[in-house]
């Protein structure tokens, strides 16, 4: 399977866990001074999922601005007491141990004379044409490890795109979103985000930053890759669509009755 589907799942799950942490870490006035203890499992789980997500696809780093702002807004019980962050930090680091498999297994595969053969004469060894090792691992060793883990082959390509092309690339964003979500979906997402901003401004701020970060980074890609790397942004918009649908249903419950309410629900679906 492709890495982008799993990447979207990890991003959605880590965002949900952080939102749940935000709801739990806010103590009721003078009634729950130790609310941080109840919220700690959500923060630990979020950190663990983020660690897993990075081992799957490095673009997880794009969540950092939104997550950091949200944490600074609500994480006073933690950043005023740094020792409370030990477990979340360890939970984040544990999945990164998966990277140890790369040099261990990679060196074994690089040393296999059969996999080093190039029977097609195209300059690509069998270990790559058979999909056993990544071409980004190059000739192995520390250089190959760093290049694979930090997507070194892509960095030079991304940095080669001048920022002056950003406006023209962003100009096709509305068309991409319409193809993915439709005008109705976009309208519901905007409605939902507005409702969320009114009821939970901190959560809306985090989701908004994540969406803007995803949209900004796509200016470095072609249109085909823009559609792929916008998947996390679609997830944010679908979450806002859910809030929008909930708001519409609530309004229909108050304003419509009987058959009109049923017709409205069917029409919304």
């Amino acid at each position: 399977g492709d890495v982008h589907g799993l990447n979207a799942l990890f991003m959605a799950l880590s965002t949900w866990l952080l939102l749940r942490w935000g709801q739990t870490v806010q103590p009721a006035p003078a009634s729950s001074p130790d609310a941080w203890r109840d919220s700690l499992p959500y923060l630990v789980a979020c950190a663990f999922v983020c660690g897993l997500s990075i081992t799957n696809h490095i673009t997880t780093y794009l969540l950092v601005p939104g997550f950091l702002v949200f944490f600074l807004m609500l994480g006073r019980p933690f950043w005023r007491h740094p020792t409370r962050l030990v477990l979340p930090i360890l939970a984040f680091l544990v999945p990164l141990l998966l990277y140890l498999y790369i040099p261990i297994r990679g060196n074994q595969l690089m040393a296999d004379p059969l996999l080093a053969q190039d029977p097609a004469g195209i300059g690509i060894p069998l270990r790559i044409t058979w999909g056993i090792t990544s071409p980004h691992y190059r000739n192995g060793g520390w250089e190959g490890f760093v290049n694979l883990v930090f997507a070194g082959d892509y960095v030079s390509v991304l940095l080669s795109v001048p920022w002056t092309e950003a406006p023209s690339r962003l100009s096709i964003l509305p068309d991409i979103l319409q193809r993915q979500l439709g005008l109705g979906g976009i309208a519901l997402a905007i409605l939902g985000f507005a409702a969320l901003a009114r009821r939970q401004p901190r959560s809306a701020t985090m989701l908004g930053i994540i969406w803007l970060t995803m949209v900004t980074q796509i200016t470095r890609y072609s249109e085909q890759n823009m559609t792929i790397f916008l998947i996390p942004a679609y997830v944010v918009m679908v979450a806002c669509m859910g809030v929008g649908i909930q708001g519409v249903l609530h309004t229909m419950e108050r304003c419509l009755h009987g058959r009109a309410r049923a017709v409205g629900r069917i029409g919304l679906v």
Side-chain angles (χ1 to χ4, degrees):
D2 192 86
V3 298
H4 298 289
L6 186 58
N7 186 48
L9 173 63
F10 280 142
M11 286 187 168
L13 182 57
S14 59
T15 301
W16 178 81
L17 286 167
L18 194 62
L19 288 171
R20 288 290 296 144
W21 168 81
Q23 293 174 349
T24 311
V25 78
Q26 302 180 72
S31 65
S32 187
D34 291 331
W36 71 270
R37 297 183 186 273
D38 298 328
S39 72
L40 184 59
Y42 291 110
L43 189 59
V44 170
C46 177
F48 181 78
V49 172
C50 286
L52 280 178
S53 185
I54 285 181
T55 63
N56 175 67
H57 204 279
I58 197 172
T59 53
T60 299
Y61 76 89
L62 294 170
L63 294 175
V64 171
F67 280 15
L68 182 59
V69 169
F70 191 69
F71 180 79
L72 290 176
M73 288 190 293
L74 294 175
R76 186 175 181 181
F78 288 90
W79 48 259
R80 290 192 64 183
H81 303 277
T83 55
R84 296 175 180 176
L85 290 172
V86 171
L87 279 179
I89 291 173
L90 289 176
F92 174 77
L93 294 176
V94 166
L96 301 186
L97 293 175
L98 291 171
Y99 280 134
L100 294 177
Y101 179 78
I102 296 175
I104 294 174
R105 183 58 175 157
N107 289 339
Q108 294 175 348
L109 295 172
M110 297 292 289
D112 190 324
L114 173 63
L115 297 178
Q117 296 179 16
D118 177 22
I122 57 177
I124 303 176
L126 288 176
R127 62 175 176 269
I128 294 178
T129 57
W130 287 356
I132 298 176
T133 62
S134 169
H136 306 302
Y137 192 51
R138 295 184 177 177
N139 293 321
W142 176 249
E143 180 185 356
F145 176 81
V146 171
N147 187 70
L148 176 62
V149 171
F150 293 100
D153 289 335
Y154 293 98
V155 172
S156 59
V157 175
L158 296 181
L159 294 178
S160 68
V161 179
W163 283 105
T164 53
E165 294 186 16
S168 63
R169 291 171 182 253
L170 287 175
S171 66
I172 64 174
L173 179 62
D175 181 61
I176 293 176
L177 294 179
Q178 183 178 343
R179 278 183 279 160
Q180 295 294 328
L181 305 173
L183 290 176
I186 295 175
L188 283 171
I190 294 174
L191 177 64
F193 182 79
L196 188 66
R198 186 176 67 254
R199 300 199 303 259
Q200 300 180 34
R202 295 182 181 91
S203 299
T205 298
M206 181 180 71
L207 293 178
I209 292 174
I210 291 174
W211 189 87
L212 287 173
T213 304
M214 298 297 171
V215 168
T216 300
Q217 61 94 25
I218 65 164
T219 60
R220 320 304 291 166
Y221 297 97
S222 64
E223 181 177 356
Q224 179 181 0
N225 288 330
M226 285 173 66
T227 302
I228 295 173
F229 284 95
L230 271 174
I231 291 176
Y234 305 150
V235 174
V236 171
M237 294 187 70
V238 169
C240 292
M241 284 172 58
V243 177
I245 291 172
Q246 183 183 42
V248 172
L249 289 174
H250 181 68
T251 300
M252 288 194 303
E253 290 288 336
R254 288 187 301 152
C255 302
L256 301 178
H257 303 279
R259 183 175 297 177
R261 180 186 299 174
V263 171
R265 289 175 176 173
I266 295 174
L268 183 60
V269 173

